[in-house]
Amino acid sequence: MTKSELNKYRNVLEAKQAELVRLVRNRDGIVIEKSADALDEVQYATERELAIRNLDRDSNLLRNVRAALGRIEVGSFGACLHCEDDIRPKRLSAVPWTTFCIHCQEIADRSQGHGAQNHEELLVNMA
Ligand SMILES: [Zn+2]
């Protein structure tokens, strides 16, 4: 991979990292609202659950993005963590924080029993 390609991925990853840090930080204060109205209580609980699920997802993604930036630093970026083959540029462009080539990702998804980690990966897997 050329230096300018690496820089391109680093820029994308750093932008994504900044975005995720903002999202995760904003949700730090997931509030537990109380209401005398039982229906409101249900509504608040649902919203809280959704917020926590999103936070989970964003935190995971943030971890992946940070790991990918780390791999750029140590020079292993772009290689599949499982088989060490080069990850295809098309896949890297869509999900630069991916850790596996498409082949190993499919195996990982199957063995974990729950599809892609996020919407973008799902799209790439289906492509
Ligand atoms: Zn692989």
Side-chain angles (χ1 to χ4, degrees), residues 79-87 99-105 107:
C80 174
L81 283 189
H82 183 247
C83 69
E84 295 179 4
D85 272 1
D86 285 343
I87 299 171
T99 46
F100 297 131
C101 71
I102 195 132
H103 183 67
C104 295
Q105 183 69 58
I107 297 169

Side-chain angles (χ1 to χ4, degrees), residues 104-124:
C104 295
Q105 183 69 58
E106 277 169 13
I107 297 169
D109 288 347
R110 258 203 306 273
S111 58
Q112 279 170 11
H114 50 239
Q117 292 168 21
N118 55 56
H119 187 61
E120 287 104 318
E121 277 200 15
L122 193 63
L123 287 176
V124 173

Side-chain angles (χ1 to χ4, degrees), residues 5 23-24 40-41 50 64 68 75 86 90 112 116 118 123-124:
E5 279 174 316
L23 281 174
V24 171
D40 277 355
E41 286 277 337
L50 187 68
N64 288 343
D86 285 343
K90 191 179 151 213
Q112 279 170 11
N118 55 56
L123 287 176
V124 173

Side-chain angles (χ1 to χ4, degrees), residues 40-76:
D40 277 355
E41 286 277 337
V42 171
Q43 167 93 24
Y44 290 148
T46 309
E47 282 170 10
R48 205 156 55 229
E49 244 167 63
L50 187 68
I52 290 168
R53 248 202 318 270
N54 285 340
L55 184 62
D56 254 14
R57 195 199 50 206
D58 292 341
S59 307
N60 274 333
L61 191 53
L62 181 57
R63 219 172 8 245
N64 288 343
V65 167
R66 284 192 169 136
L69 282 166
R71 288 196 297 278
I72 287 181
E73 295 313 311
V74 300
S76 64

Side-chain angles (χ1 to χ4, degrees), residues 9-59:
Y9 289 124
R10 184 190 282 123
N11 286 339
V12 173
L13 284 164
E14 279 174 350
K16 190 76 189 172
Q17 177 177 242
E19 180 195 326
L20 287 168
V21 163
R22 206 167 47 238
L23 281 174
V24 171
R25 192 177 295 148
N26 280 348
R27 292 212 208 92
D28 265 354
I30 292 174
V31 281
I32 298 177
E33 291 173 89
K34 284 276 161 204
S35 171
D37 187 330
L39 270 179
D40 277 355
E41 286 277 337
V42 171
Q43 167 93 24
Y44 290 148
T46 309
E47 282 170 10
R48 205 156 55 229
E49 244 167 63
L50 187 68
I52 290 168
R53 248 202 318 270
N54 285 340
L55 184 62
D56 254 14
R57 195 199 50 206
D58 292 341
S59 307

